[in-house]
C-alpha cells in the first residue's frame, strides 16, 4: 500500500502540473515584482518525476490528467489557479488519510470502552466511564449495537481520550503515507514557483482542512497540515518582503517628475488578488490578507507623503532650486495619489468585495489617498497661482494682517497708497489675461498626461482666483474707499478668461 500510495501521489502531482506551471511564461499584472523563476523559465524545472509536457494540455496524458485520475472533465475549469488545484489535491490526500485511519480502527477493532453501568445495550453512547477503559466490547456488539456507523470512513471522528487510535494504527499510517509530506511540499513548491502569492490561497485551503479535522482523532493528518501551513507561511512572508523591496527599488526622480509609478497602478489589482486568494471561510487567511494589503498600501502612501514633507521642509528658505524641488515633489505625489484614488474607487463604489474586512481596507486607502491628493492639489494650486498673482496676494495679506492688529499699513515699508497704486497699475486687463493663459499652459505642462486631474486642478484654480479677486476688492472698498484706487480687471473679466482656457 505504501508503494501504491507513492505512485498515486506522484500521479496526483502530475495531474496538477498544468495548473501549477500555467503562469510560467506570463507577466503577472497584480504583483510589484516578477518572481525570479519567471525570468529564468527556460531552465529545467525539477520537482519529482516529470511526466509528459504539462504545457500541452491535450497531448496525451500530460497536462490532461486531473485529480483522482482520468481525463479532464467538462466540470473542471481550464482557468483554475494554482492554489485551487492545490486545494483540490490536498483535500484528496487528507481524505485518504482520514479514510485509512478510520478503516484501520474498525478493521483492527479498536473499539471504545463499554458504557457505564445502566446504559442500555445497543444504545449509541458518546460518554464513556473511565473506570472501564480496559473492558472492550465484542465485535458482535460493535456491529449490532450501533456504536459507530462502520463504513463512514471519510468523516473524521470526534477525539475521545478513551477511544484514541492505538500506537499500531499510528505506525501503520506512518508506513502507508511515508511520502505524503514530501508530496505536499512538492505541490507547494511547484504551485508557488511562478507566483509566490498563491501561498495565501494554499494557506486558506489548509485552514479549511484543519477546520475539518479540528477536535477529531486525526492527529496524523493534523500534523501534516500544520507542517504544510508552516512551509506556506514562510514562502508568503518572503513574498511580501520581496514586494516591499520592489516598491523601494523604484527610485522617484523629482527633477524629471517621473510620472505615475507602477506600484500605484498595481496596488488595486494586488488588493483584489489578495481577496480572491484568501477565500470566504478562512479567517486566518483573511486576516493575513488584510495585514498584507495594509502593510503594502501604507508603504506606498508613505513613499509620496514623506517625499513631499522632506522637500517642503528643505524649501523653507528662498532657494529657487529647493522651491522647484518642492513643486516637483507635489506634482509627483499629486499625480500618483490621485491615480491610486481613482484605481480604488471601483472597488469601493461597486461593492465587489465579498468580505467586510477587505472592503474596509480598500475604503480606508481610498479615503486616505483622497485626503492626501486634495491636500497636495491645494498646495500645488497655491504655488501655481502665486506666480501671476503673488505680488497682489502678498500686498493685501500684509494689509489685512495690519488692520486685524489695528495697525496702519501705511507705516509698513512698501505698503503705502503710492505703492498700492503702482502695484494695481501693473496688473492691467491685458497683463492679467496673458497671465491666466500662461497659468493654464503651466498646469497643462505639469498634468497634461492626466486630463481628468488637469480639469480638477483648473476648477480649483478658477474658484481660488475668483475668491482672491473678491477679497482684493473687499479690502480696497474697506480701507481705500477715498483713494479712488480700483483693480482694472473685473471679476467677470477674470471668469471669462479662466473659462476660455478650460474650453
Amino acid at each position: 500500500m505504501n508503494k501504491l500510495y507513492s505512485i498515486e501521489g506522484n500521479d496526483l502531482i502530475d495531474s496538477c502540473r498544468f495548473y501549477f506551471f500555467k503562469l510560467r511564461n506570463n507577466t503577472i499584472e497584480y504583483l510589484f515584482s516578477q518572481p525570479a523563476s519567471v525570468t529564468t523559465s527556460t531552465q529545467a524545472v525539477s520537482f519529482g518525476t516529470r511526466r509528459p509536457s504539462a504545457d500541452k494540455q491535450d497531448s496525451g496524458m500530460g497536462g490532461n490528467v486531473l485529480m483522482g485520475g482520468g481525463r479532464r472533465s467538462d466540470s473542471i475549469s481550464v482557468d483554475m489557479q494554482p492554489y485551487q488545484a492545490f486545494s483540490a489535491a490536498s483535500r484528496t490526500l487528507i481524505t485518504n488519510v482520514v479514510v485509512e485511519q478510520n478503516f484501520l480502527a474498525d478493521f483492527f477493532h479498536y473499539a471504545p470502552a463499554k458504557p457505564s453501568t445502566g446504559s442500555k445495550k445497543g444504545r449509541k453512547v458518546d460518554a464513556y466511564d473511565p473506570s472501564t477503559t480496559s473492558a472492550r466490547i465484542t465485535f458482535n456488539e460493535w456491529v449490532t449495537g450501533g456504536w459507530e456507523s462502520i463504513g463512514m470512513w471519510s468523516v473524521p471522528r470526534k477525539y475521545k481520550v478513551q477511544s484514541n487510535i492505538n500506537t499500531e494504527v499510528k505506525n501503520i499510517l506512518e508506513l502507508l503515507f511515508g511520502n505524503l509530506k514530501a508530496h505536499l511540499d512538492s505541490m507547494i513548491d511547484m504551485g508557488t514557483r511562478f507566483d509566490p502569492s498563491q501561498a495565501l490561497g494554499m494557506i486558506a485551503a489548509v485552514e479549511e482542512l484543519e477546520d475539518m479535522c479540528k477536535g477529531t482523532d486525526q492527529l496524523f493528518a493534523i500534523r501534516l497540515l500544520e507542517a504544510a501551513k508552516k512551509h506556506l507561511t514562510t514562502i508568503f512572508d518572503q513574498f511580501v518582503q520581496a514586494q516591499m523591496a520592489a516598491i523601494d527599488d523604484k527610485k522617484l526622480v523629482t527633477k524629471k517628475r517621473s510620472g505615475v509609478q507602477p506600484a500605484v497602478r498595481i496596488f488595486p489589482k494586488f488588493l483584489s488578488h489578495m481577496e480572491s486568494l484568501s477565500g470566504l471561510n478562512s479567517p486566518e487567511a483573511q486576516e493575513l490578507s488584510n495585514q498584507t494589503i495594509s502593510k503594502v498600501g501604507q508603504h506606498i502612501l508613505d513613499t509620496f507623503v514623506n517625499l513631499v514633507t522632506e522637500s517642503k521642509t528643505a524649501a523653507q528658505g528662498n532657494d529657487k532650486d529647493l522651491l522647484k524641488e518642492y513643486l516637483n515633489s507635489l506634482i509627483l505625489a499629486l499625480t500618483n495619489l490621485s491615480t491610486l484614488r481613482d484605481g480604488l474607487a471601483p472597488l469601493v463604489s461597486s461593492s465587489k468585495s465579498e468580505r467586510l474586512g477587505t472592503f474596509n481596507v480598500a475604503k480606508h486607502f481610498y479615503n486616505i489617498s483622497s485626503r492626501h491628493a486634495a491636500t497636495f492639489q491645494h498646495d500645488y494650486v497655491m504655488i501655481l497661482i502665486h506666480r501671476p498673482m503673488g505680488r497682489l496676494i502678498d500686498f493685501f495679506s500684509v494689509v489685512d494682517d495690519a488692520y486685524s492688529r489695528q495697525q496702519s499699513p501705511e507705516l509698513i515699508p512698501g505698503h503705502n497708497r503710492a505703492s498700492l497704486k503702482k502695484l494695481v497699475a501693473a496688473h492691467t486687463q491685458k497683463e492679467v489675461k496673458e497671465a491666466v493663459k500662461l497659468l493654464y499652459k503651466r498646469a497643462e505642462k505639469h498634468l497634461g498626461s492626466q486630463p481628468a486631474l488637469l480639469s480638477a486642478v483648473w476648477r480649483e484654480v478658477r474658484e481660488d482666483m475668483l475668491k482672491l479677486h473678491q477679497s482684493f476688492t473687499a479690502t480696497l472698498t474697506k480701507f481705500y474707499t477715498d483713494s479712488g484706487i480700483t483693480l482694472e480687471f473685473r471679476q467677470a473679466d477674470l471668469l471669462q478668461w479662466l473659462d476660455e482656457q478650460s474650453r
Side-chain angles (χ1 to χ4, degrees), residues 13-30:
I13 293 174
D14 283 329
S15 75
C16 296
R17 284 183 185 273
F18 169 74
Y19 303 101
F20 288 160
F21 293 170
K22 66 185 297 183
L23 300 176
R24 182 194 304 187
N25 300 314
N26 294 358
T27 298
I28 304 175
E29 295 181 351
Y30 49 76

Side-chain angles (χ1 to χ4, degrees), residues 159-171:
Y159 179 85
K160 300 185 182 72
V161 176
Q162 293 85 359
S163 61
N164 194 18
I165 60 171
N166 284 27
T167 303
E168 289 87 345
V169 173
K170 293 179 182 178
N171 292 339

Side-chain angles (χ1 to χ4, degrees), residues 382 385-386 389-398 468 472:
M382 289 296 97
I385 291 176
H386 201 271
M389 307 294 286
R391 293 170 61 197
L392 284 172
I393 293 172
D394 293 341
F395 185 93
F396 283 106
S397 294
V398 171
L468 282 172
F472 298 158

Side-chain angles (χ1 to χ4, degrees), residues 325-337:
E325 186 80 4
Y326 173 48
L327 174 62
N328 288 342
S329 68
L330 275 176
I331 295 169
L332 186 60
L334 172 59
T335 302
N336 279 272
L337 294 190

Side-chain angles (χ1 to χ4, degrees), residues 421-466:
K421 188 174 183 179
K422 185 178 179 181
L423 178 63
V424 169
H427 289 78
T428 63
Q429 283 190 338
K430 181 180 178 180
E431 291 291 334
V432 175
K433 182 178 181 181
E434 185 64 24
V436 170
K437 185 183 297 184
L438 293 175
L439 189 66
Y440 185 82
K441 287 184 178 180
R442 193 177 184 211
E444 189 176 35
K445 177 183 176 182
H446 295 159
L447 307 172
S449 61
Q450 293 182 269
L453 178 58
L454 175 60
S455 178
V457 165
W458 192 249
R459 281 197 300 272
E460 186 167 342
V461 168
R462 180 178 181 273
E463 292 174 5
D464 287 351
M465 289 280 280
L466 294 175

Side-chain angles (χ1 to χ4, degrees), residues 124-150:
K124 186 174 181 179
V125 179
D126 288 330
Y128 299 93
D129 183 355
S131 65
T132 63
T133 53
S134 60
R136 299 288 173 179
I137 62 176
T138 67
F139 184 71
N140 184 62
E141 289 174 322
W142 172 269
V143 174
T144 61
W147 292 94
E148 296 283 352
S149 55
I150 295 179

Side-chain angles (χ1 to χ4, degrees), residues 4-49:
L4 177 60
Y5 272 123
S6 293
I7 293 171
E8 291 292 324
N10 287 332
D11 285 345
L12 183 63
I13 293 174
D14 283 329
S15 75
C16 296
R17 284 183 185 273
F18 169 74
Y19 303 101
F20 288 160
F21 293 170
K22 66 185 297 183
L23 300 176
R24 182 194 304 187
N25 300 314
N26 294 358
T27 298
I28 304 175
E29 295 181 351
Y30 49 76
L31 298 186
F32 302 98
S33 68
Q34 299 301 307
S37 54
V38 172
T39 59
T40 58
S41 59
T42 56
Q43 299 176 3
V45 181
S46 56
F47 288 104
T49 305

